[in-house]
Amino acid sequence: MFDNLKTMAATAANNLFSTADAAGTASEVGIIDMLSAMGLGVLMGILISVLYMFTHRKSSYSSSYVLTILILPVIVSVVLVMINSMASALSLAGVFTLCRYRTVPGDPKDITYVFFAMAVGVICGINRNEYIWFVFVFYAVVAAVLLIVDISSFGKCKTSSMTLKITIPEDMNYVGLFDGILNHYTTSWKLRRIKTTNFGSLFELVYSLEMKNDADQKQFIDELRRLNGNLTVVLTLFRYDDKVYEQN
């Protein structure tokens, strides 16, 4: 029984390598092809990382994320080169399943640069000699779009999602108390949570609101303080909030 299994395994292996040799003879690559793909991947990775840093110059970014974007085209291009020189058991979709990435909570458009770097790596690994110009055309088009979007502020929202926390005395009637101020400085708002603090001597009101970008935030807070007895008022961006309420 074991002899039969060994024979079947050997036959299957011979058939696999025979098929690989027949299908992959034309796609044999050498050290020059690999070095050229890696060099082109490094060059494109540097260009993509520079583009990422330029478009995020007004906001913070992680140096490790920049390094990831820089090295990702090199890794993907080498994987493509190896696939072209081995059995075609792995498909092009398999390359993307090998690449697992994780980003910290931040700007969702960062994922765009991850796929941008992966696509460039695929082009560097497949079109190494004949269509080397294609990777530069692809980079130029995508980079131009990203720069135009960044400079023109295309799609920028006119409001900011923020969280407002107001502390009031326990004997103060808060129903409708801040409605006029909220309607003036925001486009929409909603009372999300009410809780007692300081052993029940104070109430904390938590609002989610869409703050107008041209609104004077200091004046907004000053008007709230005049109504809540000059107690604590906290205004934070939605992304930095402690996520105390449910999603819509």
Side-chain angles (χ1 to χ4, degrees):
M1 178 178 179
F2 290 104
D3 293 337
N4 293 333
L5 291 176
K6 290 181 180 180
T7 303
M8 293 174 61
T11 303
N14 291 332
N15 293 335
L16 175 63
F17 287 111
S18 298
T19 304
D21 292 338
T25 301
S27 60
E28 287 292 331
V29 294
I31 188 65
I32 301 300
D33 294 321
M34 179 171 290
L35 291 178
S36 62
M38 293 176 62
L40 186 59
V42 170
L43 175 61
M44 301 310 299
I46 294 175
L47 294 177
I48 295 175
S49 60
V50 170
L51 176 65
Y52 174 81
M53 291 186 291
F54 179 80
T55 55
H56 288 72
R57 64 193 182 280
K58 297 180 181 179
S59 59
S60 60
Y61 55 85
S62 173
S63 59
S64 60
Y65 195 87
V66 175
L67 178 61
T68 300
I69 296 177
L70 190 151
I71 205 66
L72 190 57
V74 183
I75 298 174
V76 176
S77 63
V78 171
V79 173
L80 263 294
V81 171
M82 296 304 298
I83 288 177
N84 288 341
S85 62
M86 297 173 62
S88 57
L90 294 176
S91 63
L92 183 60
V95 178
F96 295 95
T97 62
L98 296 175
C99 300
R100 296 177 58 88
Y101 57 90
R102 184 175 300 171
T103 58
V104 297
D107 199 340
K109 72 178 181 181
D110 290 348
I111 302 178
T112 302
Y113 286 88
V114 172
F115 284 108
F116 185 20
M118 292 178 66
V120 168
V122 170
I123 299 174
C124 293
I126 295 178
N127 300 319
R128 294 180 299 276
N129 299 319
E130 299 144 354
Y131 304 102
I132 192 173
W133 55 268
F134 184 76
V135 67
F136 294 101
V137 174
F138 175 71
Y139 173 83
V141 173
V142 178
V145 173
L146 293 175
L147 288 174
I148 292 174
V149 170
D150 178 73
I151 295 175
S152 64
S153 299
F154 176 79
K156 184 178 181 180
C157 187
K158 297 181 180 180
T159 61
S160 300
S161 298
M162 308 190 76
T163 299
L164 174 66
K165 299 180 182 180
I166 306 175
T167 303
I168 61 174
E170 62 172 343
D171 58 349
M172 179 177 290
N173 185 10
Y174 57 83
V175 178
L177 179 62
F178 306 103
D179 292 6
I181 300 176
L182 294 174
N183 291 332
H184 178 71
Y185 288 95
T186 68
T187 58
S188 63
W189 57 271
K190 186 174 183 180
L191 180 61
R192 292 289 187 175
R193 188 185 69 180
I194 305 170
K195 76 171 185 177
T196 60
T197 60
N198 198 21
F199 299 100
S201 62
L202 299 174
F203 278 87
E204 184 183 71
L205 310 179
V206 180
Y207 294 86
S208 63
L209 47 85
E210 291 294 327
M211 190 81 176
K212 297 177 181 178
N213 289 337
D214 58 351
D216 189 339
Q217 295 183 6
K218 182 181 183 306
Q219 185 176 355
F220 173 61
I221 295 176
D222 289 341
E223 293 185 16
L224 294 174
R225 291 171 58 200
R226 283 195 290 268
L227 293 180
N228 77 331
N230 201 27
L231 294 177
T232 303
V233 176
V234 180
L235 183 65
T236 59
L237 287 173
F238 176 77
R239 74 172 76 179
Y240 301 115
D241 190 31
D242 54 2
K243 303 291 186 300
V244 296
Y245 49 82
E246 73 282 359
Q247 297 291 330
N248 288 329

